Amino acid sequence: MGASDPEVAPWARGGAAGMAGAGAGAGARGGAAAGVEARARDPPPAHRAHPRHPRPAAQPSARRMDGASGGLGSGDNAPTTEALFVALGAGVTALSHPLLYVKLLIQVGHEPMPPTIGTNVLGRKVLYLPSFFTYAKYIVQVDGKIGLFRGLSPRLMSNALSTVTRGSMKKVFPPDEIEQVANKDDMKTSLKKVVKETSYEMMMQCVSRMLAHPLHVISMRCMVQFVGREAKYSGVLSSIGKIFKEEGLLGFFVGLIPHLLGDVVFLWGCNLLAHFINAYLVDDSVSDTPGGLGNDQNPGSQFSQALAIRSYTKFVMGIAVSMLTYPFLLVGDLMAVNNCGLQAGLPPYSPVFKSWIHCWKYLSVQTLRTSMKEPTG
């Protein structure tokens, strides 16, 4: 949060917490993108193999080992592995929940503590918004330490359902075997492979998102009750009954479309950018040894740095694309709590939006007005 201009642009609401939260919130999407690129990586060209150390026969590509897959392993080990991923995902969700809780309260415009006036390095007056720790301390003062975990239960259920759904889909619609590309110059074949794998991951992500979204809506509403000190949404079952009675079936899917669009843009953007960078900009001839030719004891050392660079490329692309898709996340979260009978979703905190497109246009106009204001000195 840190220093800011006297008025914060709506698109930047929860910016610092949002970017940190994106690292945790986009874990499943990032894992999916990393998995696609890892499976699509080409082996070293055959003509570079060391003459006295012939390359072994190509092995079947390893399955992705990330929380988004939810289905690593096969046979008797598959249920155990899936349960392990659910447990690990629950731990990460619980640890990151206070950060995402603070981010959501900032997104809806709840600022119980006034910003402090200070000066930046250029001597210009700026407003310093409360940091995450300051905000979290305020929540503890009001609700106690347990208050930092308001809305955690439906979030845990949502993430578990998403993981199980992806694992089940992998069993029903198993991915095709990935054929290794023998020639790195055959970019057309490699690109087709990335497109095919990304399409498969997109299908799983969209289905799991749609099934888990009702629990996401309940979690968001439980958290924003902090603003008006309401107790309308207290449990999962009672919340389901209230939403169905007041809003019907569609009430469980408000804000779904921007979330789906964000997921699709993230997967395609991350996978394609990582593919083109790794294919055209990363040189396999770079080595750990002087001269870049490896040695008799370790003929494959010439590829170690290239593999490391590719790993960092996927990581950096995930962060960059997450920043670009943050507006979709913001609009989706605001729509989930808009006009639901809670103070945080009604004026003066928020206008009543007719659709997510109305919300997007409103935030865009407000951001433009904020950026056009003359800075105060």
Side-chain angles (χ1 to χ4, degrees):
M1 284 150 259
S4 69
D5 290 326
E7 185 173 352
V8 180
W11 282 133
R13 281 183 188 172
M19 287 304 100
R29 299 186 305 175
V36 171
E37 180 63 23
R39 291 196 296 264
R41 186 181 303 141
D42 302 332
H47 67 272
R48 291 182 181 174
H50 197 276
R52 290 197 292 270
H53 298 271
R55 297 194 318 134
Q59 299 296 325
S61 57
R63 287 287 183 248
R64 179 164 47 97
M65 296 190 298
D66 61 82
S69 66
L72 176 69
S74 58
D76 297 336
N77 293 330
T80 303
T81 307
E82 187 171 287
L84 177 62
F85 280 136
V86 171
L88 291 175
V92 173
T93 300
L95 291 176
S96 63
H97 188 76
L99 177 63
L100 297 179
Y101 183 21
V102 170
K103 181 198 70 172
L104 179 63
L105 294 180
I106 296 174
Q107 285 177 337
V108 299
H110 185 52
E111 298 177 358
M113 297 166 289
T116 58
I117 301 177
T119 56
N120 58 13
V121 292
L122 300 177
R124 190 163 66 93
K125 289 184 179 180
V126 293
L127 296 179
Y128 286 90
L129 299 177
S131 66
F132 162 75
F133 295 102
T134 304
Y135 213 126
K137 184 178 180 181
Y138 172 78
I139 296 176
V140 172
Q141 291 175 349
V142 176
D143 282 347
K145 294 182 179 179
I146 195 67
L148 289 173
F149 299 94
R150 181 193 292 260
L152 176 60
S153 297
R155 262 198 82 210
L156 291 174
M157 297 173 63
S158 174
N159 289 356
L161 178 60
S162 178
T163 301
V164 173
T165 300
R166 296 178 69 92
S168 300
M169 289 188 64
K170 275 185 171 290
K171 297 175 184 177
V172 177
F173 305 102
D176 297 334
E177 289 296 328
I178 307 302
E179 299 179 358
Q180 297 288 351
V181 179
N183 185 357
K184 192 173 185 302
D185 294 332
D186 191 1
M187 297 306 306
K188 184 176 181 180
T189 303
S190 181
L191 180 59
K192 284 184 178 180
K193 185 164 54 177
V194 173
V195 170
K196 185 176 181 180
E197 288 298 307
T198 304
S199 300
Y200 179 79
E201 290 291 341
M202 180 182 66
M203 176 193 68
M204 291 198 302
Q205 179 65 23
C206 289
V207 172
S208 62
R209 169 71 73 179
M210 287 188 290
L211 293 179
H213 192 74
L215 291 169
H216 174 77
V217 171
I218 295 174
S219 177
M220 296 291 104
R221 296 184 179 184
C222 287
M223 287 188 277
V224 299
Q225 289 182 135
F226 178 84
V227 176
R229 310 305 300 159
E230 298 108 335
K232 182 178 181 179
Y233 301 95
S234 55
V236 175
L237 294 180
S238 61
S239 299
I240 292 175
K242 285 185 176 66
I243 295 176
F244 184 77
K245 181 180 180 180
E246 297 177 1
E247 305 173 51
L249 189 61
L250 294 179
F252 295 103
F253 298 97
V254 287
L256 173 62
I257 294 179
H259 275 292
L260 288 176
L261 290 176
D263 290 342
V264 171
V265 172
F266 178 90
L267 279 174
W268 284 99
C270 186
N271 289 347
L272 291 178
L273 285 174
H275 167 73
F276 286 120
I277 290 176
N278 289 337
Y280 290 103
L281 300 181
V282 179
D283 188 2
D284 281 337
S285 64
V286 178
S287 71
D288 295 330
T289 57
L293 297 177
N295 51 59
D296 291 344
Q297 288 73 29
N298 189 12
S301 64
Q302 67 187 80
F303 305 108
S304 58
Q305 282 192 4
L307 293 177
I309 293 174
R310 289 192 175 103
S311 299
Y312 282 112
T313 300
K314 294 192 294 289
F315 177 75
V316 173
M317 287 301 100
I319 295 177
V321 179
S322 292
M323 296 176 64
L324 295 177
T325 57
Y326 177 73
F328 293 99
L329 174 66
L330 175 61
V331 172
D333 289 346
L334 291 181
M335 289 302 300
V337 302
N338 188 253
N339 196 26
C340 64
L342 299 178
Q343 184 176 337
L346 297 170
Y349 284 96
S350 170
V352 175
F353 300 116
K354 299 178 181 179
S355 65
W356 72 270
I357 298 178
H358 180 200
C359 178
W360 185 287
K361 291 180 178 179
Y362 172 81
L363 294 177
S364 299
V365 171
Q366 294 300 315
T367 302
L368 181 62
R369 290 178 179 175
T370 302
S371 62
M372 292 177 63
K373 285 186 176 181
E374 292 293 334
T376 57

